[in-house]
Amino acid sequence: MDHHHHQQQHHQYDEGENDYRHQEDDWDRDLLLDPAWEKQQRKTFTAWCNSHLRKAGTQIENIEEDFRDGLKLMLLLEVISGERLAKPERGKMRVHKISNVNKALNFIASKGVKLVSIGAEEIVDGNAKMTLGMIWTIILRFAIQDISVEETSAKEGLLLWCQRKTAPYKNVNIQNFHISWKDGLGFCALIHRHRPELIDYGKLRKDDPMTNLNTAFDVAEKYLDIPKMLDAEDIVGTARPDEKAIMTYVSSFYHAFSGAQKAETAANRICKVLAVNQENEQLMEDYEKLASDLLEWIRRTIPWLENRVPENTMQAMQQKLEDFRDYRRLHKPPKVQEKCQLEINFNTLQTKLRLSNRPAFMPSEGKMVSDISNAWGSLEGAEKGYEEWLLNEIRRLERLDHLAEKFRQKAAIHEAWTNGKEEMLQRKDYETASLSDIKALLKKHEAFESDLAAHQDRVEQIAAIAQELNELEYYDSPSVNARCQQICDQWDSLGVLTQKRSEALQRTEKLLETIDQLYLEFAKRAAPFNNWMEGAMEDLQDTFIVHTIEEIQGLSTAHEQFKATLPEADKERQAILGIHNEIAKIVQTYHVNMAGTNPYTTINPQEINAKWDKVRQLVPQRDQALIEEHARQQNNERLRRQFANQANVIGPWIQTKMEEIGRISIEMHGTLEDQLTHLRQYEKSIVNYKPKIDQLEGDHQLIQEALIFDNKHTNYTMEHIRVGWEQLLTTIARTINEIENQILTRDAKGISQEQMNEFRASFNHFDRKRTGMMDAEDFRACLISMGYNMGEAEFARIMSIVDPNRLGLITFQAFIDFMSRETADTDTADQVMASFKVLAGDKNYILVDELRRELPPDQAEYCIARMTPYTGPDAVPGALDYMSFSTALYGESDL
């Protein structure tokens, strides 16, 4: 806020007094304040006062009450003027208060403000109208009078400032300090103009003043430190908002933004000064850098332009010319530009320094503009004559290059033709060639000889060009001469080699024709002999499987007949090898390389000898194999007989025993105990028979190891015997178990031996398949025969008792259980409990000693271990509960 324009105050006061007179007239007219305006002024003026008083750490609540003692009024004036007022009276009396208010009013008057009809007494008495009038006078003087915009000041200045700031906003038109602000867009535009980031102006609507006003007031309070001086409702709800309230509010925006503008102006001035300095320093730096780079480039380039050593090749000289043209076209123009720019920059810099009162720029040692001009002169001197020298050198090299290129072309063509010819002529391919190959090689060689003669001309031309290059002092003459010499030497060598190859080919042709005849003879005789040997080897190695002695004797006879033909075969072998030896003698004498094999056959002497040796080796092996097989067949026959003799006894024995056991269990001779005794004797005799089975197993293992698969001496196999033996053991055990169960059932249910025999007779009668079991239909027939009259449901119930596993079969045991159910004499839990009561001498519990006295030791201990302690009212130490024990025995409760 701008409180300190002391220089301007003197000439403004008269003008001010004039203003105030008008304002005071207004004030008198306004003494009958519109209640709505009064409310707005109260709110606005209170907020305005507090925005200053908070800097002194205080505030007011009620505008006509809180200024009555004059203390806060004096404090407010000190804060907004930045000056000290006379010391206030601290007393509480009316006189002290009037004194303080007067001090404040006098201070206002001292600032050139005429206070008409505002007296200290009214303020002390809390006259609202007078208090609001006094505060408005203070606002006018300290917040509005000093506003100055384009030759206008105070109220008009503030209005002009608002119009200038809101000019870009089409929907804002500020003409006054009342209705122009009603839609709130004026406040929003002021904020957006200075702080666009705080309000999204584009989203605001002219027909929504409440939102616009609230947005502006909230943003101003939050971000601009302008307290909320009015409520949106106050403005929207009045036909014409209070001008003083609006002016006060708007002046706060002016001060908030103009303060920021001053800081900005000051910062800009500093930046401007610094920017000039920075720019000058940058220009100096750029000059130094540019000068250094340019001088360095000149220093590097001059030696290159002064070098006049010619290159040997056209290509290298053309490269030099190309480099020079690149230098003129690409590298030098930017440097000319740089040199010019450097001088311009230097002059610009000096001018700028002079204009901004800075000392002139002195470049560092050797980088003056004159130094650069001198260096540039040296560069242009070195450039002179360089291009002319380059062009003369290129013309000279062009002449030499033409001849050298001609030499190279002819030499290259010749060398390409001769390439590989020496290797070809020295090739010993005829040593490994067949006769037909040799004839082809001779034809090929004749064609080469005529080709060689045709190339004589070119060799002479090459020698003539080399001579000319020597005379013209070609820089690379040594290598040209060396190449020419090499071509001539090679040419002589080719002539000699051609002659030698011709002779070798003709000599080899004659030898190969002789060998060819012998090859044919060898092939004609070797093939049938080889076939005979392969057949013999196949027969001798042929595996045989024989199962009888007769078969092995037949094989032995055939082998003896084959052995008799061997001496004749050996004579034929030696004759065939003789032909091969004759070929070898020719090869050794005339050094023909026999890498080529016999074209008429693939058989060779090594193969014949190897096969012959193999035949001779296989004969005794065959002898041995036949003898061994003969012995094996005799042993096999012995094993067969040995197994058959035992199996033919054991098989029938097992069969007999099975039948006898079946009879015992069905025929019912004697009591069940007699049957059991009889069966146990059987069981013993069967167990005693086991060693015979084991012995047979041993013989069977020998037969398997000897891989004998048939035995004509018996129909029994080991598998038959094993299955029979296992069935026998199972049957005897099961039969004994059945009889034991029948005895248990009989004793448990009190069935007599006669009844038992009757049950067995009925069961056997209805066991129609004689399997020892009845199926469901057999069982139904049996029940009907015994007088049972039952429907399907009753039969199904009986079946569920006798066949609980639903196998569809009824065993004799299940049959007995069913038949004897009604006549049962079985024990119950109650009977056992009564028995224990007897042992306990009629007590409800039993003692350990009583159990040990009355029962066998192991049963007594069984009971002691399982009985729980007795807990009845008559219990004594060591008493055991026999009742729950008895119940548990029959599964009626858990122990």
Side-chain angles (χ1 to χ4, degrees):
M1 208 178 286
D2 218 344
H3 309 312
H4 306 299
H5 292 324
H6 300 306
Q7 294 161 345
Q8 297 169 12
Q9 280 169 3
H10 301 299
H11 63 267
Q12 279 185 354
Y13 284 162
D14 306 333
E15 211 174 68
E17 277 175 32
N18 233 359
D19 288 346
Y20 287 126
R21 262 182 233 107
H22 298 309
Q23 287 155 5
E24 282 144 13
D25 298 343
D26 292 348
W27 184 254
D28 296 333
R29 280 202 303 283
D30 291 347
L31 276 174
L32 294 165
L33 264 176
D34 177 321
W37 288 6
E38 183 180 345
K39 180 184 168 195
Q40 289 173 28
Q41 283 184 20
R42 254 176 215 279
K43 195 174 288 179
T44 307
F45 293 179
T46 303
W48 184 86
C49 291
N50 282 336
S51 74
H52 295 292
L53 284 171
R54 71 180 174 196
K55 295 171 193 168
T58 184
Q59 61 174 39
I60 61 167
E61 300 294 333
N62 184 325
I63 200 157
E64 67 264 30
E65 285 298 319
D66 295 0
F67 286 137
R68 281 174 62 181
D69 62 3
L71 290 173
K72 284 191 180 173
L73 185 58
M74 290 175 77
L75 188 58
L76 174 67
L77 289 167
E78 283 189 347
V79 172
I80 57 177
S81 70
E83 295 177 33
R84 299 293 291 173
L85 270 69
K87 204 167 178 225
E89 304 277 345
R90 287 289 169 198
K92 295 265 191 266
M93 294 166 68
R94 179 175 168 82
V95 63
H96 297 133
K97 293 179 184 178
I98 290 172
S99 168
N100 286 341
V101 172
N102 271 322
K103 283 175 186 168
L105 294 176
N106 292 338
F107 178 76
I108 296 170
S110 78
K111 293 295 173 194
V113 178
K114 236 175 166 192
L115 292 162
V116 181
S117 67
I118 294 175
E121 285 83 353
E122 283 95 337
I123 305 298
V124 172
D125 292 340
N127 182 322
K129 303 274 189 295
M130 287 297 177
T131 306
L132 290 173
M134 175 188 67
I135 296 299
W136 172 240
T137 306
I138 293 170
I139 293 171
L140 266 179
R141 171 61 189 85
F142 290 102
I144 296 172
Q145 184 187 316
D146 291 347
I147 292 174
S148 169
V149 178
E150 297 178 20
E151 309 308 322
T152 64
S153 60
K155 180 177 176 180
E156 286 72 24
L158 185 58
L159 188 60
L160 183 60
W161 178 78
C162 293
Q163 289 166 342
R164 291 277 181 275
K165 294 295 179 187
T166 60
Y169 300 85
K170 296 285 175 285
N171 51 3
V172 177
N173 180 16
I174 304 295
Q175 294 301 331
N176 51 49
F177 286 112
H178 36 83
I179 57 175
S180 291
W181 300 86
K182 271 191 77 166
D183 61 12
L185 290 174
F187 289 109
C188 291
L190 282 180
I191 295 170
H192 186 262
R193 179 70 188 273
H194 293 91
R195 296 284 300 276
E197 79 281 3
L198 297 180
I199 286 186
D200 184 352
Y201 192 84
K203 283 196 177 160
L204 302 175
R205 299 202 326 274
K206 199 170 178 72
D207 59 0
D208 188 3
M210 289 297 283
T211 303
N212 302 342
L213 289 162
N214 281 324
T215 302
F217 296 167
D218 293 345
V219 168
E221 186 166 36
K222 190 169 176 187
Y223 297 104
L224 304 175
D225 203 21
I226 298 172
K228 194 167 182 179
M229 299 188 181
L230 281 172
D231 289 331
E233 294 83 353
D234 298 339
I235 296 176
V236 175
T238 351
R240 181 170 180 270
D242 180 59
E243 188 175 50
K244 296 185 177 70
I246 299 284
M247 269 176 78
T248 304
Y249 214 154
V250 174
S251 73
S252 298
F253 281 90
Y254 171 83
H255 290 297
F257 292 130
S258 70
Q261 229 162 344
K262 273 183 207 139
E264 208 177 306
T265 309
N268 286 346
R269 181 174 293 121
I270 292 167
C271 290
K272 207 163 154 191
V273 171
L274 291 178
V276 168
N277 255 33
Q278 284 170 317
E279 192 185 351
N280 291 343
E281 279 170 22
Q282 188 59 50
L283 283 171
M284 291 175 196
E285 249 174 73
D286 292 350
Y287 176 87
E288 288 281 334
K289 170 92 173 70
L290 210 51
S292 297
D293 292 353
L294 190 56
L295 287 166
E296 173 59 21
W297 178 80
I298 294 170
R299 187 187 63 70
R300 279 202 319 271
T301 310
I302 289 176
W304 174 69
L305 291 169
E306 287 173 341
N307 174 15
R308 295 285 199 280
V309 177
E311 294 290 342
N312 289 332
T313 66
M314 183 76 170
Q315 191 187 1
M317 281 311 282
Q318 274 172 331
Q319 187 56 53
K320 270 195 161 179
L321 184 60
E322 193 53 44
D323 290 348
F324 179 70
R325 285 179 178 159
D326 275 353
Y327 159 78
R328 292 302 306 269
R329 204 170 53 243
L330 304 173
H331 305 308
K332 191 180 173 190
K335 298 300 173 189
V336 174
Q337 189 65 41
E338 275 177 36
K339 177 174 173 286
C340 174
Q341 192 58 48
L342 197 68
E343 289 159 4
I344 290 169
N345 287 6
F346 184 77
N347 294 336
T348 306
L349 175 60
Q350 298 296 31
T351 307
K352 283 189 169 184
L353 289 170
R354 201 165 52 250
L355 291 175
S356 59
N357 297 326
R358 308 289 203 286
F361 168 56
M362 268 303 285
S364 50
E365 187 66 37
K367 292 183 193 167
M368 303 292 286
V369 175
S370 57
D371 295 328
I372 290 161
S373 292
N374 294 339
W376 192 263
S378 308
L379 176 78
E380 301 211 302
E383 230 178 83
K384 274 203 189 80
Y386 186 65
E387 190 171 16
E388 195 182 340
W389 170 76
L390 281 172
L391 292 168
N392 287 336
E393 266 306 305
I394 286 169
R395 273 194 285 279
R396 184 180 73 82
L397 281 173
E398 201 172 21
R399 286 198 303 281
L400 277 172
D401 262 8
H402 174 66
L403 273 179
E405 185 52 39
K406 197 169 176 182
F407 173 81
R408 276 195 292 277
Q409 270 182 343
K410 287 195 179 295
I413 291 166
H414 179 76
E415 283 161 352
W417 181 81
T418 59
N419 182 30
K421 295 286 188 288
E422 284 174 295
E423 290 84 347
M424 184 268 288
L425 291 169
Q426 288 170 304
R427 215 179 282 155
K428 298 276 174 58
D429 47 0
Y430 51 80
E431 291 181 351
T432 60
S434 65
L435 185 56
S436 60
D437 293 343
I438 286 288
K439 291 186 188 300
L441 286 172
L442 274 163
K443 289 262 183 298
K444 202 168 165 187
H445 190 66
E446 283 163 19
F448 173 74
E449 283 175 323
S450 54
D451 195 11
L452 186 70
H455 280 76
Q456 179 70 36
D457 259 8
R458 192 191 295 116
V459 177
E460 288 164 7
Q461 286 171 5
I462 288 169
I465 296 169
Q467 183 58 35
E468 197 178 343
L469 280 168
N470 280 328
E471 286 161 7
L472 289 171
E473 294 180 352
Y474 177 50
Y475 82 94
D476 202 14
S477 278
S479 80
V480 168
N481 294 340
R483 192 169 180 183
C484 182
Q485 189 59 48
Q486 197 179 355
I487 287 168
C488 294
D489 291 349
Q490 188 189 32
W491 187 250
D492 296 342
S493 164
L494 284 174
V496 173
L497 290 170
T498 302
Q499 185 56 36
K500 277 189 181 170
R501 182 169 175 82
S502 190
E503 289 162 6
L505 286 169
Q506 286 161 359
R507 184 176 71 249
T508 308
E509 185 186 23
K510 286 194 179 68
L511 287 170
L512 285 179
E513 280 172 341
T514 309
I515 290 169
D516 192 60
Q517 286 307 108
L518 291 168
Y519 268 154
L520 192 57
E521 179 68 17
F522 177 89
K524 279 180 184 167
R525 291 175 71 174
F529 184 65
N530 184 58
N531 289 344
W532 175 83
M533 284 195 297
E534 283 181 346
M537 284 195 294
E538 191 178 339
D539 292 346
L540 288 169
Q541 291 178 86
D542 191 18
T543 54
F544 48 80
I545 295 178
V546 290
H547 298 295
T548 64
I549 290 176
E550 296 75 47
E551 286 172 358
I552 194 69
Q553 283 165 343
L555 288 173
S556 298
T557 309
H559 183 58
E560 289 306 318
Q561 287 166 352
F562 167 75
K563 286 202 288 194
T565 65
L566 289 173
E568 194 57 43
D570 195 25
K571 271 187 203 156
E572 176 61 8
R573 178 180 70 88
Q574 284 165 351
I576 292 167
L577 292 176
I579 298 169
H580 185 267
N581 291 341
E582 207 174 326
I583 295 169
K585 211 174 287 171
I586 295 171
V587 168
Q588 207 172 0
T589 312
Y590 297 104
H591 303 293
V592 181
N593 183 350
M594 288 309 295
T597 52
N598 189 331
Y600 306 111
T601 180
T602 55
I603 302 161
N604 59 43
Q606 292 85 341
E607 209 179 317
I608 290 172
N609 280 336
K611 286 181 182 173
W612 178 253
D613 290 345
K614 182 73 175 164
V615 168
R616 291 186 46 198
Q617 189 188 341
L618 288 170
V619 169
Q621 285 176 10
R622 184 70 164 185
D623 289 342
Q624 186 60 33
L626 290 167
I627 291 164
E628 284 170 6
E629 184 57 35
H630 197 271
R632 198 169 75 82
Q633 285 304 326
Q634 284 176 321
N635 187 46
N636 285 359
E637 188 61 20
R638 186 180 58 72
L639 287 172
R640 283 193 190 98
R641 286 178 190 284
Q642 188 175 318
F643 179 84
N645 291 343
Q646 291 186 73
N648 289 340
V649 173
I650 291 171
W653 182 85
I654 289 172
Q655 192 62 38
T656 310
K657 288 291 173 218
M658 286 287 282
E659 288 163 7
E660 287 173 357
I661 291 163
R663 275 202 301 281
I664 290 169
S665 67
I666 290 169
E667 286 173 0
M668 310 171 295
H669 290 309
T671 66
L672 288 173
E673 278 80 2
D674 295 343
Q675 288 177 33
L676 191 60
T677 308
H678 203 165
L679 283 168
R680 289 205 193 285
Q681 285 166 356
Y682 259 87
E683 186 176 31
K684 196 170 179 193
S685 74
I686 288 165
V687 170
N688 290 342
Y689 204 78
K690 178 79 164 71
K692 288 202 167 76
I693 302 288
D694 293 344
Q695 189 183 348
L696 191 65
E697 280 283 9
D699 290 349
H700 176 252
Q701 191 176 342
L702 292 174
I703 279 183
Q704 277 191 322
E705 284 165 1
L707 300 176
I708 301 167
F709 300 113
D710 60 336
N711 191 343
K712 64 186 177 187
H713 306 299
T714 181
N715 290 328
Y716 288 104
T717 66
M718 191 66 224
E719 192 52 38
H720 285 138
I721 300 287
R722 280 193 202 117
V723 169
W725 175 250
E726 283 161 8
Q727 275 181 335
L728 181 60
L729 291 176
T730 308
T731 306
I732 188 73
R734 196 170 60 235
T735 310
I736 287 170
N737 176 251
E738 279 174 10
I739 300 291
E740 285 171 338
N741 282 344
Q742 286 168 29
I743 291 169
L744 278 174
T745 306
R746 182 196 67 193
D747 294 351
K749 304 200 173 178
I751 303 167
S752 68
Q753 185 62 47
E754 287 73 24
Q755 278 175 300
M756 205 69 180
N757 290 351
E758 273 173 41
F759 291 158
R760 173 49 89 179
S762 297
F763 188 86
N764 287 355
H765 176 73
F766 285 99
D767 172 14
R768 297 195 179 105
K769 300 186 186 63
R770 294 282 169 270
T771 58
M773 301 208 194
M774 279 193 276
D775 62 22
E777 286 314 306
D778 292 342
F779 184 50
R780 185 196 291 274
C782 179
L783 290 177
I784 291 166
S785 78
M786 290 191 291
Y788 274 85
N789 185 9
M790 67 211 148
E792 277 305 316
E794 175 62 10
F795 181 62
R797 186 185 69 74
I798 293 171
M799 276 303 283
S800 71
I801 296 166
V802 296
D803 179 19
N805 297 328
R806 310 230 172 122
L807 301 172
L809 295 170
I810 295 92
T811 62
F812 182 54
Q813 184 61 46
F815 179 69
I816 298 169
D817 285 347
F818 172 72
M819 295 306 294
S820 59
R821 265 179 354 140
E822 288 80 359
T823 62
D825 176 24
T826 52
D827 297 317
T828 65
D830 292 343
Q831 290 169 339
V832 174
M833 221 181 283
S835 303
F836 270 120
K837 194 160 190 162
V838 172
L839 295 188
D842 228 21
K843 298 193 295 293
N844 289 330
Y845 57 82
I846 194 161
L847 298 171
V848 173
D849 294 346
E850 287 168 343
L851 285 168
R852 287 190 175 136
R853 189 174 66 236
E854 301 295 345
L855 295 176
D858 59 338
Q859 293 180 337
E861 293 310 321
Y862 178 88
C863 294
I864 292 162
R866 284 166 179 72
M867 280 185 187
T868 54
Y870 176 68
T871 57
D874 50 345
V876 300
L880 297 173
D881 184 352
Y882 62 75
M883 292 183 190
S884 58
F885 173 74
S886 304
T887 312
L889 283 177
Y890 285 87
E892 289 169 34
S893 76
D894 291 329
L895 272 174

